[in-house]
């Protein structure tokens, strides 16, 4: 590592990524490994964590990866994982709160679409908030609390461009559905969770500022993942750079925000959205 990048060096540090089996979680793990960190790869099931470990090891066979099952909605699961890691001498220096539920909504002709605000089911509200928001709170309690006691650490919350702007519901319209109330929308939970994560970021950044724990958020724009071409076309018209993100384009930001390269930054939300939120 050249002198210019010395502050990005994560050798000797341990990071924990929640929801690490998903599309971006795998990228976060790879980014942290690239900077030299040992990474605790956690997801709700071992299959998801193992898949990420296998993929990262294909590129970096020497990667130091520790699989663990954590259901971020469960205080018991998060607490047990914390005890388990501590018992094995593994102290988490960096927590990436990334887990989320991406609800699959299906259309039923003749009834109001369940994603619409007027019909949004309370159990779905509770489930999604439990993962995206309560999960980040619980993991911060356990792992951030331990960091504060040790006097050093970093928390990074994965928010979204929809943590700073409202969803443009025209993006989600389906041409073959005539009645407005049958049209799917981006659910209210997504906005609430992502705005909430930015609030949690500011709260914890000030709460632990004098205990050496820095807390920031990153708000990525949409990642191209072979979505419906009509959706992609509509979305890219809203993005000054004229395209969605490539899946690996947030890696350098993760390295910056999780390392001493960002040592004087806390309570901030780094927006990386191809310019969408400034248009
Ligand atoms: N993909 C994008 O375009 C995009 C854009 C902006 C922000 N984000 C945010 O980035 C993060 C990752 O997104 P993604 O696209 O990789 O999502 P994803 O759905 O691919 O991955 C989410 C992961 O969270 C896990 N998870 C779900 N419930 C859990 C629980 N109770 N406990 C632990 N893990 C659980 C899932 O198993 C999955 O592996 C999310 O917070 C998402 O909102 C994504």
């Amino acid at each position: 590592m050249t002198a210019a990048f010395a502050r990005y060096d994560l050798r000797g540090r341990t990071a924990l990524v929640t929801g690490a089996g998903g599309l971006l979680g795998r990228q976060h793990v790879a980014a942290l490994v690239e900077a030299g960190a040992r990474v605790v790869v956690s997801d709700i099931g071992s299959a998801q964590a193992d898949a990420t470990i296998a993929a990262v090891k294909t590129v970096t066979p020497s990667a130091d990866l520790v699989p663990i099952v954590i259901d971020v909605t469960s205080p018991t699961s998060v607490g047990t994982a914390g005890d388990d890691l501590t018992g094995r001498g593994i102290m988490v220096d960096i927590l990436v709160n990334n887990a989320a539920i991406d609800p699959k909504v299906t259309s039923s002709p003749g009834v109001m679409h369940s994603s619409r605000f007027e019909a949004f089911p309370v159990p779905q509200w509770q489930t999604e908030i439990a993962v995206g928001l309560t999960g980040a709170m619980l993991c911060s309690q356990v792992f951030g609390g331990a960091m504060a006691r040790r006097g050093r650490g970093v928390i990074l919350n994965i928010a979204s461009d929809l943590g700073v702007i409202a969803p443009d519901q025209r993006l989600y319209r389906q041409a073959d559905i005539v009645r407005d109330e049958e049209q799917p929308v981006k659910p209210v939970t997504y906005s609430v969770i992502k705005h909430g994560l930015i609030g949690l970021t500011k709260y914890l950044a000030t709460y632990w500022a004098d205990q050496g724990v820095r807390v920031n958020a990153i708000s990525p724009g949409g990642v191209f993942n072979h979505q419906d071409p009509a959706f992609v076309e509509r979305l890219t018209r809203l993005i000054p750079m004229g395209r969605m993100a490539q899946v690996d384009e947030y890696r350098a930001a993760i390295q910056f925000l999780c390392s001493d390269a960002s040592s004087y930054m806390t309570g901030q939300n780094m927006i990386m959205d191809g310019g969408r939120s400034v248009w």
Side-chain angles (χ1 to χ4, degrees):
M1 196 166 288
T2 65
F5 292 105
R7 294 178 72 83
Y8 287 82
D9 192 350
L10 293 178
R11 281 176 297 181
R13 308 230 181 131
T14 299
L16 186 151
V17 179
T18 67
L23 180 72
L24 282 180
R26 182 176 294 188
Q27 297 295 322
H28 305 332
V29 173
L32 293 160
V33 162
E34 197 178 43
R38 168 170 63 180
V39 184
V40 179
V41 180
S42 75
D43 209 299
I44 193 166
S46 54
Q48 292 94 322
D50 290 347
T52 285
I53 289 178
V56 173
K57 287 249 183 200
T58 305
V59 180
T60 314
S62 61
D64 189 354
L65 300 171
V66 181
I68 196 161
V69 171
I70 302 180
D71 175 354
V72 297
T73 67
S74 159
T76 307
S77 177
V78 178
T80 304
D83 292 345
D84 177 20
L85 291 170
T86 305
R88 292 154 69 187
I90 299 173
M91 305 300 164
V92 173
D93 305 295
I94 300 160
L95 167 66
V96 181
N97 284 315
N98 169 77
I101 288 188
D102 184 11
K104 297 283 171 279
V105 281
T106 48
S107 297
S108 314
V111 296
M112 183 179 280
H113 199 277
S114 68
S115 61
R116 298 193 74 84
F117 184 70
E118 296 85 341
F120 200 73
V122 171
Q124 190 179 337
W125 165 275
Q126 286 167 333
T127 303
E128 290 172 19
I129 287 186
V131 178
L133 200 47
T134 313
M137 186 278 276
L138 288 173
C139 290
S140 299
Q141 246 182 0
V142 169
F143 299 107
M147 290 175 203
R149 287 192 293 278
R150 291 199 305 276
R152 189 182 82 165
V154 172
I155 298 175
L156 178 60
N157 293 318
I158 308 297
S160 163
D161 53 0
L162 298 185
V164 292
I165 57 172
D168 184 338
Q169 303 294 7
R170 295 170 297 183
L171 286 173
Y172 309 96
R173 284 189 79 84
Q174 292 180 9
D176 54 335
I177 299 177
V178 180
R179 287 158 57 89
D180 269 359
E181 63 266 34
E182 292 170 24
Q183 286 285 354
V185 292
K186 190 76 175 176
V188 61
T189 37
Y190 201 80
S191 284
V192 170
I193 290 165
K194 296 309 185 184
H195 280 78
L197 280 175
I198 294 169
L200 180 69
T201 300
K202 293 177 187 176
Y203 183 94
L204 291 180
T206 52
Y207 189 80
W208 279 326
D210 60 355
Q211 286 170 271
V213 181
R214 294 189 301 109
V215 187
N216 289 295
I218 181 168
S219 282
V223 174
F224 178 69
N225 192 24
H226 308 283
Q227 291 94 337
D228 171 41
F231 169 81
V232 173
E233 203 215 311
R234 284 197 296 260
L235 175 57
T236 52
R237 267 192 254 130
L238 298 180
I239 300 173
M241 287 181 70
R243 63 176 181 84
M244 298 180 73
Q246 290 161 23
V247 74
D248 61 356
E249 281 190 291
Y250 300 115
R251 285 195 191 191
I254 299 293
Q255 292 164 343
F256 171 72
L257 291 165
C258 291
S259 69
D260 294 344
S262 58
S263 56
Y264 193 53
M265 179 171 172
T266 199
Q268 302 303 313
N269 174 38
M270 180 188 273
I271 305 170
M272 271 182 96
D273 63 354
R276 180 177 172 191
S277 58
V278 294
W279 222 354

